[in-house]
Amino acid sequence: MSDRDEPGTIGRRVQQLRADRGLTQRQLAEPAYSPAYISTLEAGRVRASDEALRHIADRLGVAFEELATGRPAHLVTDLRLGLTEAQRVLAVGDTDAAAGQFTGLLAEATGHGLAEERAAALIGLGDCGLDAGELDIARGHFEQAEQVLTAAGAPLPARAPAVRGRAVSHYLAGELRYAVYLLESALDELNRGGLHDPDALLLLYASVIGPYMDMGAHARAAQAAEYALALAPQAGDPALVARMHRSVARTLLAEGRVAEADASLAKAAELYRQLQIRTELANCHWMRGYVYAQNGDLARAEAEMREAQTMLTAQRATLYTSQVAVELADVLHRRGKSDEAAALLHEVLSDLSSERGALHSAAAHRLLGIIAEDSRDTEAAEEHYVRALSLLERAGAVGDLADLCRLLGDLLRRTGRVEAALDAYRTGLGHRTAPGTTTLGPAPAQPPL
C-alpha cells in the first residue's frame, strides 16, 4: 500500500490494539506467524507485508486500511460523501452552511493527511468565497488547494478546478490579463503535454471566454467557444456543460447569433434546474436578460434580470447581486426609468470597487455619467466618466475603454474644451485600433477535437 505509515508507527499501533484487546503476541501471531515476528514488528524493525497486515487486522478485528494508515474504515468514502453534500448545499444557495461543512471536512482531511480530499474542501471554500464576493479569501483557498495537489504530485487535469478558481477571482477583481495568463498557460500545458482531459479543457475554455470578451479579444473568445462546444459531448460533468453553454452564449451574441445564444442559455438553464445549482441558474436568467436587452426586448430583459437579482439576493451572493443590478439599471434607464436606475447604481457602488467588481463598477459610473448628462449636470457626468476610465484602464478592458473615451470626448467638445476632447478621442482610437489579441501573445495550443 503506497500511503501506509512507517514500520515504527504501524508497530506501535499493533501493540496498542493488541493490549486493548488483551491478546498475547502468540495469540495474535498464530497460526500463520511466530510470536518473535510480532515482537519484531511491534518494535518497528520489520516492514510487514500486506498479507501479514491483513492477518493481524483480522485477528484484531479492524480494517486493513485502519491498521496500515491509522484512518478509520471508510473514512475516504465518508469524506467524499460529505464533500458532495456540501457542494449540494452550496448549489442550492446556502453559502454559509456550505462553508461550515467544507471547513469541518477540511480539518478532517488535513488531520488524516488526505491531499485530494483536502484540496476538494479548499476548492469548495474558494467557491463559497466567490459566491460571497470575498475575492481575496477565495483566491487564498484556491492557491492553497493548488499547492496541496502539486505537493501530492497530482497531474494538471486534477489541478484545473483550482487554477480556474484562481483565474475567476482575479477576473472578478478586474485583473483581466492575469486571469487570461493563468487560463491560457494551463490550456497550453494540457494541449502540448497530451493531457487531453475533456472536463479540464471544457472548464478552462468556458472560463476564459469572459475575460477575452472584456479585453476586446473577440476572435479568441469565439475560438474558445467553438472548442468548448466541440468538447461538451465528451465531458462527464453536466454542471461543466451547463457553465459552458452560458459562457458560449456571450460570444454567439457578439457575432449576432441571437437565436443560438438564447438556445444555449435555455440548455444551460435546464441542466442547472436538474442539478439545482441556483447561483448558476440565476446567472442564466441574468445572461438571458442581457440577450433580450441587446435585442431590444427591454420588458423581457427587465423581468429576467429582476428574477436573477431576486435569486442572488436570497442566496446572499453579494458581488453577483451588485453586478446584475448594474445591468438591470441600464435596462431601466433605456425604459425611461432613469431615477430608479440612478438610485440602484448609487446603492450598489458601495459594494463594488477597483479590487472587487471593477468592470461593473466602471459600468455603473459610465451609466451614472449618461444619466447626469441627460439631466444637464455636465460636471457630475465628467466626474463619473473619468472614474470609469481609470477603472477600465487598470483592468485593460479595451472595448469598453474606446466607447467611454467617445462619451467623454463628446462631453468635453460640447462644453468647449476642444483640445481635451481631441485627446480623449485619440485615446479611444488607440484602444479601438489595437485588437485585444495583440496584447495577449500567442494563442494556446489547440486541443485534438
Side-chain angles (χ1 to χ4, degrees), residues 18 62 144 148 174 195 210 229 259 278 363 382 394:
R18 179 178 63 78
V62 299
Q144 195 177 350
V148 168
L195 301 170
L229 285 168
R278 291 188 61 78
E382 182 179 349
R394 195 176 310 166

Side-chain angles (χ1 to χ4, degrees), residues 110-345:
T110 302
H112 290 286
L114 295 168
E116 183 180 342
E117 289 70 26
R118 182 183 173 201
L122 286 165
I123 290 169
L125 284 169
D127 287 335
C128 290
L130 289 181
D131 270 14
E134 298 169 342
L135 301 183
D136 289 340
I137 294 173
R139 187 180 308 130
H141 288 311
F142 291 127
E143 288 173 351
Q144 195 177 350
E146 196 172 0
Q147 290 165 4
V148 168
L149 290 169
T150 300
L156 181 55
R159 304 196 310 271
V163 174
R164 176 258 172 194
R166 285 178 61 205
V168 170
S169 65
H170 285 287
Y171 171 47
L172 291 175
E175 299 162 9
L176 306 187
R177 294 183 194 282
Y178 192 63
V180 168
Y181 164 75
L182 289 173
L183 293 166
E184 284 195 339
S185 298
L187 284 165
D188 201 47
E189 187 177 341
L190 283 170
N191 290 326
R192 291 190 188 281
L195 301 170
H196 302 132
D197 182 288
D199 281 1
L201 288 168
L202 182 61
L203 179 67
L204 297 172
Y205 276 120
S207 300
V208 81
I209 289 171
Y212 278 158
M213 292 293 289
D214 289 335
M215 290 181 71
H218 295 155
R220 202 170 280 194
Q223 186 180 61
E226 293 299 329
Y227 290 155
L229 285 168
L231 286 161
Q234 305 171 46
D237 184 349
L240 282 182
V241 177
R243 182 180 291 154
M244 177 277 299
H245 278 298
R246 183 164 62 83
S247 297
V248 164
R250 192 173 175 189
T251 64
L252 294 172
L253 187 64
E255 295 173 350
R257 296 153 67 180
V258 177
E260 292 173 73
D262 197 37
S264 259
L265 288 168
K267 290 176 187 174
E270 181 55 32
L271 284 165
Y272 286 136
R273 284 189 193 96
Q274 294 169 12
L275 294 164
Q276 291 188 304
I277 302 180
R278 291 188 61 78
T279 300
E280 297 287 3
L281 181 57
N283 285 335
C284 279
H285 283 292
W286 174 5
M287 192 67 192
R288 290 189 84 173
Y290 178 76
V291 169
Y292 290 139
Q294 294 299 305
N295 208 32
D297 192 344
L298 298 181
R300 290 176 76 184
E302 181 179 344
E304 290 283 354
M305 288 185 180
R306 286 194 185 281
E307 178 68 17
Q309 187 182 38
T310 299
M311 293 175 73
L312 291 167
T313 300
Q315 292 158 226
R316 288 178 284 184
T318 53
L319 180 56
Y320 293 131
T321 304
S322 298
Q323 290 177 340
V324 75
V326 174
E327 297 195 23
L328 173 60
D330 181 57
V331 172
L332 292 172
H333 170 64
R334 289 168 64 185
R335 298 197 74 191
K337 306 176 184 179
S338 295
D339 289 344
E340 185 181 352
L344 185 58
L345 291 169

Side-chain angles (χ1 to χ4, degrees), residues 382 405 408-409 412-413 416-427:
E382 182 179 349
C405 287
L408 179 58
L412 294 169
R413 179 174 53 80
R417 286 169 287 173
V418 177
E419 197 58 45
L422 287 171
D423 286 342
Y425 290 140
R426 289 188 194 103
T427 302

Side-chain angles (χ1 to χ4, degrees), residues 11 14-15 18 25-26 28-29 34-46:
V14 169
Q15 185 179 39
R18 179 178 63 78
Q25 291 179 337
R26 181 178 298 279
L28 184 60
S34 68
Y37 176 76
I38 298 298
S39 176
T40 306
L41 187 150
E42 289 183 350
R45 294 197 295 269
V46 64

